[in-house]
Amino acid sequence: MSVAVAFGPLDDAEITQLHRRIIFFDGVCGFCNASVDFVLSRDRAERFRFAPLQGETARQILAPKDTQNLHTLVLWVDDKTYRRTAAVVRILWHLGWLWRILAVLLWLIPWPLRDLGYLLVARNRYRLFGRKDTCRMPTPAERARFLP
């Protein structure tokens, strides 16, 4: 089931309707965009929606510290916010049995070590994976899954 959302500010009813899972990502980061492509290709049940941290949806839903900290992946589920590896593990859990095994293995790594590894990659992601001049534009087929 797809939920089409017109680009523009969301009202409270639309936000309530979107109480699925929203992945907020750095829209200009090459690694982040590759990660979005990874999830899109494996999320056959369309559990996730996507929004750039630089966008209007992020400003409406997330705390300012999340929209200012572009090196943190944020997963928003029913008014709960998960960051860094806590978000990654929860995303992997919903992508199928193979990815669920990886999620469990990641969860077994102590939280400070998991997040340390995450932060090392996040701080060097532009140098390693590139930076785009503008946020990712979804294809027509993907558009219903992306929020402004």
Side-chain angles (χ1 to χ4, degrees):
M1 179 177 128
S2 291
V3 177
V5 177
F7 282 82
L10 301 174
D11 62 27
D12 289 340
E14 288 172 314
I15 290 172
T16 300
Q17 183 181 10
L18 294 171
H19 272 231
R20 299 170 76 112
R21 297 158 187 92
I22 302 174
I23 298 172
F24 292 95
F25 64 101
D26 179 356
V28 298
C29 167
F31 181 70
C32 302
N33 281 286
S35 298
V36 167
D37 291 339
F38 173 87
V39 174
L40 274 168
S41 67
R42 288 158 182 81
D43 182 24
R44 290 181 179 85
E46 297 187 1
R47 291 179 179 95
F48 295 104
R49 299 292 178 263
F50 305 89
L53 286 164
Q54 298 92 332
E56 183 63 32
T57 303
R59 281 190 292 279
Q60 285 184 278
I61 293 175
L62 300 177
K65 69 177 182 171
D66 290 321
T67 58
Q68 294 164 0
N69 184 4
L70 297 181
H71 59 79
T72 300
L73 174 76
V74 178
L75 174 64
W76 184 79
V77 181
D78 296 328
D79 291 326
K80 292 181 185 173
T81 305
Y82 303 96
R83 295 168 189 85
R84 294 182 290 278
T85 58
V88 171
V89 167
R90 283 169 175 81
I91 292 166
L92 289 172
W93 184 263
H94 292 286
L95 295 182
W97 68 270
L98 179 63
W99 303 109
R100 191 170 286 176
I101 292 169
L102 181 58
V104 169
L105 293 174
L106 279 173
W107 197 254
L108 293 174
I109 298 170
W111 164 77
L113 290 177
R114 277 195 331 253
D115 273 6
L116 177 63
Y118 179 96
L119 290 172
L120 287 173
V121 172
R123 288 190 179 135
N124 295 293
R125 71 191 188 284
Y126 293 146
R127 188 166 31 97
L128 297 171
F129 303 99
R131 180 182 177 136
K132 301 178 184 297
D133 292 329
T134 60
C135 287
R136 178 191 200 286
M137 291 301 297
T139 66
E142 299 168 343
R143 190 168 184 141
R145 300 203 44 208
F146 281 80
L147 305 169

